Amino acid sequence: MNTTESQIEKKLIYPSPFHLEEGWNICIENQNKNCTHNEIDQLTMKGLLSYTDFEILKLLAACRYVNTHNLEFALRQSLPECYLKSDYQRNLRKLVHAGLLLKHCLCLHTETREHMDIVSPLRFYSLSPGACSYIEPLVESPCLFRGALPDYAVMEHLASSQLLIRFQASYKHAIKACYRNVRKKVGVHDFVLDALIRYLSRIGESPQSVTLFVLCGRSHTESTKSLISRIHLLFRWLERHHGQYGQYMIIILLEHFKEIPNIFHNVAAHNIGFFHYPLYFALDTDLLAFPLFECLYRCSDDGSSDKCMIDRVQITL
């Protein structure tokens, strides 16, 4: 596929579920927002927490935030056949009621939280503080990022969780390592990679390790600023460390097709040698239908100052 910026509006664009309008907030729906280790032990001894329940808790310890659809998709990939069900709503309701999970929704900003004006069908989950400290020691690679996140960053987190869950389902036999929220430093500046994935490519005579650097942005103003800053810092960091990575790709995960040119032009304008970097774009909704390497986009300058060529590309693993 070859598309110019002027053709973008003609392309059918499906909305991302991980969209945050200005003036929206993330709210917690459940009344019981925490639990103790002793309460979890008591539920376990009474047989009220099942194997599936613990798999849900471990998944959220690894991903931090996951929406309902991707959580159930991940369970269908990981659970033994005898534990598979049509949905896991009863498990989720039980864990929310017990204060192990926090159930989140999007609502309009109000001065008080006495009434929530819910504005989106999106529902997603995270571990309560007590459940988090209980489960993390049981997980091989927990998401150890601490501290409160701005709401737009939570939406970035949801989108990158979807990418990782779908990538693991499509390419699990090739994955060597997968890390969330990887912190890097350039001089006095810190920045965070939403994900770093190492996989084994079997193209050519011998297998080669390839590293994916994943950065996620939303259409929210603050998210776009943060994304562009992080891309600039990643390029500067790679100037010093690219020798450690024989092959690598940079994946920019966005909400909409129409956002690609803006990010491309901004990054290209401020980075000499930009075109030497293997930069690709991916969209939330494409990942629901295709494996990542079948729905990537690359940009090239068409010679004018305000347009670019966008090609859809497929990469063989």
Side-chain angles (χ1 to χ4, degrees), residues 275-286:
F275 294 103
H276 297 296
Y277 290 100
L279 183 67
Y280 296 85
F281 295 90
L283 306 177
D284 298 340
T285 48
D286 283 349

Side-chain angles (χ1 to χ4, degrees), residues 1-3 171 249-251 257 278-282 286 290-300 309-316:
M1 183 191 74
N2 189 264
T3 310
Y171 307 109
M249 296 168 56
I250 302 168
I251 308 291
F257 188 82
L279 183 67
Y280 296 85
F281 295 90
D286 283 349
F290 305 98
L292 177 66
F293 291 152
E294 295 180 16
C295 60
L296 292 174
Y297 298 91
R298 289 210 76 173
C299 292
S300 59
M309 303 298 292
I310 303 175
D311 297 307
R312 182 159 174 168
V313 296
Q314 294 190 15
I315 298 175
T316 303

Side-chain angles (χ1 to χ4, degrees), residues 248-296:
Y248 64 89
M249 296 168 56
I250 302 168
I251 308 291
I252 309 300
L253 181 61
L254 300 173
E255 284 188 42
H256 299 296
F257 188 82
K258 64 183 179 182
E259 295 170 335
I260 296 176
N262 174 49
I263 302 298
F264 172 80
H265 286 307
N266 194 296
V267 173
H270 295 88
N271 290 276
I272 298 173
F274 157 75
F275 294 103
H276 297 296
Y277 290 100
L279 183 67
Y280 296 85
F281 295 90
L283 306 177
D284 298 340
T285 48
D286 283 349
L287 294 173
L288 294 173
F290 305 98
L292 177 66
F293 291 152
E294 295 180 16
C295 60
L296 292 174

Side-chain angles (χ1 to χ4, degrees), residues 185-189 191 229-241 271 277:
K185 192 176 183 68
V186 179
V188 298
H189 301 288
F191 69 100
S229 174
R230 289 191 293 150
I231 295 173
H232 294 333
L233 289 169
L234 175 58
F235 286 174
R236 289 174 57 189
W237 183 82
L238 283 170
E239 287 176 2
R240 306 176 186 182
H241 300 278
N271 290 276
Y277 290 100

Side-chain angles (χ1 to χ4, degrees), residues 52 56 68 71-72 75-76 79 83-93:
T52 300
I56 291 172
T68 306
L71 190 150
E72 293 191 345
L75 290 175
R76 287 192 288 271
L79 288 176
Y83 288 95
L84 295 178
K85 300 189 291 187
S86 58
D87 70 66
Y88 299 88
Q89 289 302 310
R90 291 185 62 183
N91 299 84
L92 293 172
R93 284 194 296 269

Side-chain angles (χ1 to χ4, degrees), residues 111-142:
E111 294 301 323
T112 65
R113 294 304 178 94
E114 294 177 3
H115 172 71
M116 291 189 298
D117 188 359
I118 297 174
V119 293
S120 168
L122 176 69
R123 297 294 187 276
F124 58 96
Y125 300 88
S126 66
L127 296 177
S128 67
C132 187
S133 61
Y134 187 97
I135 294 298
E136 277 185 351
L138 307 179
V139 178
E140 183 176 349
S141 299

